[in-house]
Amino acid sequence: MAENRKLHIALFPWLAFGHMIPYLEFAKLMAQKGHRISFLCTPRNINRLPKLPPNLINFVSLPLPHVEGLPAEDAEATVDVPYDKIQYLKKAYDGLQESVTLFLQSSNPDWILYDFAPYWVAPIASRMGIKTSFFSVYTAPALGFMGPPSVLKGESSVNYEIRTKPEDYTVPPKWIDFPTTVAFRYFEIKRIFDSMSPNDSGVSDVCRTGAGIESCDVVAIRGCIDFEPEWFRLLRDLYNKPVLPIGQLPPAGDQNDHNRDDETETETMTWLTMKSWLDKHEKGTVVYVAFGTEAKLGREEVTEIAVGLEKSQLPFFWVLRLTQAAILPEGFEERIEGRGVVWKTWAPQLKILAHESVRGHFTHSGWSSVVESLRFKRALILLPLIADQGINARILEEKKMGYSVPRDERDGSFTSNAVAESLRLVMVEDEGNIYRHKVKEMSGLFADRDRQDRYLDNFLDYLKSHKTSELSTEQRRK
């Protein structure tokens, strides 16, 4: 039957590793179901993505146009540029419209799944009869808090008020019709408030999101109805179109598989060095500390974290990029030798989290890291830094799955004492039992492979049943 044939699905993520990696994980899962997958990305980023088995996915290399304002010609991801230059990366990304159009014309995919940034994809694809899905790596609560497309696009409405100042984002909006604490804290929204306004790319982030949602055929969201049912119901009401959960996308593979086929000798030796240190510590005693690839900690923040780790008296493994390790307090590494490690290069996060000596994860609340932590039932100590991380933290706090380090509401500053006390609370104190127990209780929603597989199958069944007809496919080939 035609309904059972395999699909050709294209994916087009935004150029941030927090987006590209979940997109790649989703692409891999769909390819393993036998579907033909095209992954559209830029050359340098394709080379930096995790290696996959040969011929599983077709990587479509789209050279990024150079635009004035980008600091280097090889700047192809947000990690390559300062925060204030990301607007120019978006401008260069918008320059891929012609390349994407040519790909769609020549390849005729059944569906294209796209991110928040390329708001222009759906109109192009629709003219060719290609079905479109806005695929959000942001959670349902994050999207629900931001509101319907009209609000995101800044259009006034009798039903919804337009938010114009940071304070407007520190309370739940009126369209959320159930009790919740989900909102930004003042310092969180202040740090990203520029994303609410047009920048040198010509279009604000929220407007891109609104236009992308408005023009697609279906919205796909990383998440589970089991975990956040009220938020998915809200989004269907706000968007007035299908909103489908695709699961939490936990990384595939056995945590005990320490020698992948594609693992380099250097990676193997790196892990063995780490494992040797972790093996020396008792089960459930180590704090893993990592704050993602996007946010850049300031000197004061690095200092307070370092001194807080020192004061906590807990063993810790801190992954800190080399440039930031250079601003550690003088003598810190000597003082914590044996009890703590500051690792200054790439680290295999999944393997570290899987090690039995690790009990907690001191994290920025990026959802990929949250999913990985919960897979291994690791307690969460939260320090949200940018983007949607504050909203993620509220959800985890609300469900008693994570505890946030106390901070100044206006500027987000925190003290070493707050860091130490938060770590000890979640890691060892009786008062923190609720957080340790909750992550164990909820981990099934994130780690259960059968559950995640059902979400994927349901999504693919939807794509099959709503794909472009054979007739229109032939028509658009002419």
Side-chain angles (χ1 to χ4, degrees):
M1 293 179 63
E3 287 74 16
N4 293 325
R5 74 174 178 85
K6 299 305 181 183
L7 299 171
H8 179 193
I9 303 168
L11 295 94
F12 188 37
W14 165 233
L15 305 179
F17 282 94
H19 292 244
M20 291 184 284
I21 297 297
Y23 262 71
L24 185 63
E25 189 65 33
F26 194 30
K28 181 171 64 176
L29 292 172
M30 291 190 291
Q32 288 168 343
K33 295 284 185 178
H35 298 284
R36 178 184 168 197
I37 304 298
S38 294
F39 194 92
L40 283 61
C41 203
T42 60
R44 187 177 179 217
N45 287 328
I46 290 173
N47 289 335
R48 291 188 287 184
L49 288 170
K51 303 306 177 190
L52 299 180
N55 305 317
L56 183 65
I57 289 172
N58 173 38
F59 286 98
V60 180
S61 182
L62 305 176
L64 191 69
H66 180 70
V67 300
E68 189 175 349
L70 276 181
E73 289 194 8
D74 64 350
E76 295 187 9
T78 54
V79 71
D80 301 326
V81 297
Y83 180 79
D84 63 341
K85 301 295 184 183
I86 291 176
Q87 57 188 319
Y88 301 109
L89 189 63
K90 292 190 178 82
K91 188 174 182 179
Y93 186 75
D94 288 341
L96 294 174
Q97 290 186 46
E98 183 178 354
S99 298
V100 172
T101 301
L102 290 172
F103 163 78
L104 294 174
Q105 287 174 335
S106 62
S107 299
N108 294 311
D110 297 291
W111 285 83
I112 182 166
L113 279 56
Y114 61 91
D115 212 330
F116 83 94
Y119 63 98
W120 36 265
V121 164
I124 294 171
S126 297
R127 287 195 294 270
M128 302 180 198
I130 297 168
K131 291 285 190 176
T132 59
S133 173
F134 179 91
F135 170 34
S136 173
V137 301
Y138 299 119
T139 62
L143 289 177
F145 179 81
M146 293 309 295
S150 59
V151 169
L152 292 166
K153 293 171 64 182
E155 298 170 354
S156 58
S157 165
V158 294
N159 297 318
Y160 305 121
E161 296 178 5
I162 302 300
R163 294 173 285 193
T164 59
K165 55 187 185 297
E167 288 81 359
D168 296 338
Y169 291 84
T170 61
V171 294
K174 292 180 180 178
W175 56 77
I176 298 180
D177 56 3
F178 50 85
T180 183
T181 59
V182 168
F184 285 106
R185 294 168 69 180
Y186 180 82
F187 69 86
E188 292 168 345
I189 188 62
K190 189 67 175 173
R191 289 183 177 188
I192 61 168
F193 194 63
D194 59 326
S195 65
M196 313 299 172
S197 305
N199 51 52
D200 281 355
S201 75
V203 188
S204 71
D205 289 1
V206 291
C207 188
R208 287 174 185 272
T209 304
I213 292 169
E214 186 176 64
S215 56
C216 71
D217 293 304
V218 60
V219 176
I221 297 178
R222 181 183 193 177
C224 298
I225 293 232
D226 322 53
F227 183 65
E228 47 214 351
E230 69 278 20
W231 291 99
F232 276 96
R233 192 267 307 160
L234 173 67
L235 288 177
R236 291 181 181 123
D237 292 343
L238 293 178
Y239 296 166
N240 196 29
K241 63 177 59 181
V243 177
L244 305 178
I246 55 99
Q248 297 290 1
L249 300 182
D254 183 352
Q255 65 267 31
N256 296 314
D257 177 15
H258 297 316
N259 293 291
R260 308 185 322 265
D261 290 340
D262 65 329
E263 189 169 69
T264 66
E265 183 178 351
T266 299
E267 288 175 335
T268 300
M269 295 306 296
T270 295
W271 166 242
L272 290 175
T273 300
M274 295 176 175
K275 184 176 182 299
S276 175
W277 185 88
L278 292 167
D279 285 345
K280 295 174 184 175
H281 294 274
E282 294 181 16
K283 181 178 179 179
T285 59
V286 175
V287 183
Y288 173 58
V289 186
F291 301 106
T293 57
E294 300 297 326
K296 298 172 177 66
L297 297 164
R299 180 181 294 273
E300 186 175 339
E301 291 173 318
V302 169
T303 297
E304 296 302 324
I305 292 169
V307 177
L309 286 166
E310 195 172 354
K311 288 179 177 178
S312 75
Q313 293 298 303
L314 296 167
F316 65 88
F317 193 101
W318 186 4
V319 178
L320 186 66
R321 66 186 69 177
L322 187 61
T323 53
Q324 302 213 284
I327 57 176
L328 282 166
E330 186 176 353
F332 171 72
E333 291 183 80
E334 291 75 16
R335 293 193 299 274
I336 54 88
E337 188 173 0
R339 181 169 67 82
V341 166
V342 179
W343 194 267
K344 302 168 187 175
T345 58
W346 171 85
Q349 178 160 293
L350 272 181
K351 290 181 178 180
I352 296 169
L353 286 169
H355 196 279
E356 66 175 9
S357 69
V358 175
R359 182 175 224 179
H361 186 183
F362 189 14
T363 174
H364 58 309
S365 311
W367 203 249
S368 291
S369 288
V370 168
V371 170
E372 291 173 4
S373 298
L374 292 171
R375 175 183 174 184
F376 301 115
K377 305 176 184 178
R378 303 310 180 213
L380 296 168
I381 307 95
L382 311 173
L383 191 76
L385 298 170
I386 56 170
D388 60 330
Q389 294 165 11
I391 298 296
N392 295 343
R394 292 308 92 71
I395 285 292
L396 295 168
E397 293 163 5
E398 196 169 85
K399 294 179 180 290
K400 299 297 184 186
M401 296 169 65
Y403 179 84
S404 291
V405 174
R407 299 164 78 171
D408 182 275
E409 288 295 328
R410 301 300 292 181
D411 64 14
S413 61
F414 53 89
T415 66
S416 58
N417 284 338
V419 169
E421 290 164 7
S422 300
L423 290 170
R424 292 198 62 81
L425 169 70
V426 175
M427 288 288 292
V428 298
E429 292 178 7
D430 290 344
E431 189 181 345
N433 273 334
I434 181 64
Y435 304 105
R436 299 192 291 272
H437 291 325
K438 270 292 180 179
V439 294
K440 292 177 182 177
E441 177 186 322
M442 303 293 281
S443 66
L445 296 181
F446 293 80
D448 185 331
R449 279 282 160 199
D450 290 338
R451 184 192 301 271
Q452 302 303 320
D453 204 46
R454 286 195 296 273
Y455 276 110
L456 176 61
D457 285 341
N458 289 340
F459 178 71
L460 290 170
D461 286 345
Y462 182 93
L463 297 193
K464 289 177 185 178
S465 63
H466 292 80
K467 69 180 185 298
T468 307
S469 69
E470 295 297 325
L471 177 62
S472 60
T473 299
E474 290 301 321
Q475 289 174 333
R476 59 189 161 99
R477 282 177 178 154
K478 293 180 180 179

